[in-house]
Amino acid sequence: MDHSLTKKDYAIGYTELTLAQCCVGINVISGKFLIGFLPIFLLLAIRFAIGFSGMLAIARVKSIRLSNIYHNFMSLTSKDKLLLIFQAACGGFLFNVLILYGMKTTSATSAGIISSITPIMIFILAAVFLHEKINLQKSLAIIIVMIGLLVLNIGKTTGSMDGALLGNFLVLLAVIPEALFTILSKSVGKKITEMEAVILVNLFNLILFIPFAVYAMIDFHPENIGVRVYSQLFIYGISGGIMFFLLWYRGLTKINANTAALFTGVMPVSTTILAFIFLNEPISNSEIIGMLLVIAAIFVGCKKHFFFKNTSRKIS
């Protein structure tokens, strides 16, 4: 399907991608807090249960019938069904399990530095699988955002942790499904609506996590959970299970994947700012420089469409 995009469309798309990554930042802050109280598999099962329930409520308000969603899913080819399920597993099960277990045994600094390769991974995969053109402007922007992320994360304080090598490897592996999720969202997203995709992604991940969550509950003692934990859990489910997916899907309908790759740099920026606001963590000069470089990279990568008058073009 073709869309003739205007400057306003691009502005909305960039805003949606930015807000989506801010939701990931909220998820990181909440997730770091919550893994101290809940087993990881149980935590993620609850997240997708909240996401699925919330999306069903939104669908009901919008008068979207579940039978129509089921019909649209069944009308997909077998290949598209498998791609949608694999996409859901990449963006939900695989990425979250790898990143959370990795974060348990490595420092936030190491995880941030390793994750800085995410933009280039999406950039390369978009060229290979989506045949998106690589030009000097986008290449320069990707280099700037990677430098910015490295500078931002090197500025964070850290200490040695047991099992850091394994943790670093898990974080590195997490980059692969994170990048694949964006690529698959561009291809499968043309066949169903954003609402349908988010409902199905939450459902598939909930199904994947339930068996592991049931096993994790054997040693879980809910009486140790307070109101603050439940409130954080609700925020975790809404931001990660609903807001991120809806905003990212909507943004990708307007913006190419290799441009969207730049916006993954917003996540560590938002995490740093949120940690400063809510956790009273100081911001160093190198972090400020890193954040400014990320913003500059987005400016360079998006300048052609957003800051020039002639902005209409076709994307398929």
Side-chain angles (χ1 to χ4, degrees), residues 182 282 313:
T182 294
R313 75 173 182 88

Side-chain angles (χ1 to χ4, degrees), residues 103-231:
M103 289 292 289
K104 286 188 75 171
T105 54
T106 191
S107 67
T109 301
S110 297
I113 292 171
I114 296 167
S115 297
S116 66
I117 69 172
T118 301
I120 190 66
M121 179 72 74
I122 297 175
F123 192 63
I124 294 171
L125 291 177
V128 174
F129 294 108
L130 302 179
H131 308 294
E132 293 185 0
K133 293 181 179 179
I134 296 177
N135 56 38
L136 180 61
Q137 177 189 351
K138 293 288 177 63
S139 300
L140 177 62
I142 287 291
I143 293 171
I144 295 173
V145 79
M146 287 184 65
I147 293 172
L149 291 173
L150 287 171
V151 172
L152 191 158
N153 285 287
I154 288 172
K156 297 180 184 295
T157 57
T158 183
S160 60
M161 298 179 68
D162 294 333
L165 183 62
L166 175 60
N168 290 339
F169 180 66
L170 292 175
V171 172
L172 179 61
L173 288 180
V175 171
I176 299 172
E178 182 183 12
L180 283 173
F181 174 77
T182 294
I183 302 304
L184 292 170
S185 296
K186 286 292 292 183
S187 56
V188 181
K190 300 174 183 178
K191 313 292 176 60
I192 57 177
T193 67
E194 298 94 359
M195 284 285 296
E196 292 169 343
V198 178
I199 289 172
L200 291 171
V201 164
N202 276 286
L203 174 61
F204 294 149
N205 276 291
L206 179 58
I207 292 171
L208 285 171
F209 276 113
I210 282 177
F212 299 95
V214 170
Y215 179 77
M217 289 182 68
I218 296 174
D219 297 322
F220 176 60
H221 305 287
E223 63 270 12
N224 297 330
I225 303 299
V227 175
R228 185 186 177 193
V229 174
Y230 284 116
S231 62

Side-chain angles (χ1 to χ4, degrees), residues 53-73:
S53 302
M55 287 306 302
L56 290 183
I58 294 172
R60 184 176 180 84
V61 171
K62 289 181 170 288
S63 300
I64 299 173
R65 299 173 61 127
L66 294 181
S67 58
N68 290 339
I69 298 175
Y70 175 78
H71 173 75
N72 291 339
F73 174 71

Side-chain angles (χ1 to χ4, degrees), residues 10 14 32 34-35 63 77 101-102 104 107 134 165 174 176 182 187 231 252 270 281 283 287 295-296 298 302 307:
Y10 281 107
Y14 296 147
K32 276 184 170 182
L34 290 169
I35 58 176
S63 300
T77 64
Y101 272 106
K104 286 188 75 171
S107 67
I134 296 177
L165 183 62
I176 299 172
T182 294
S187 56
S231 62
L252 287 175
S270 66
E281 292 186 4
I283 297 180
E287 288 175 316
I295 294 170
I298 293 173
C302 302
F307 298 97

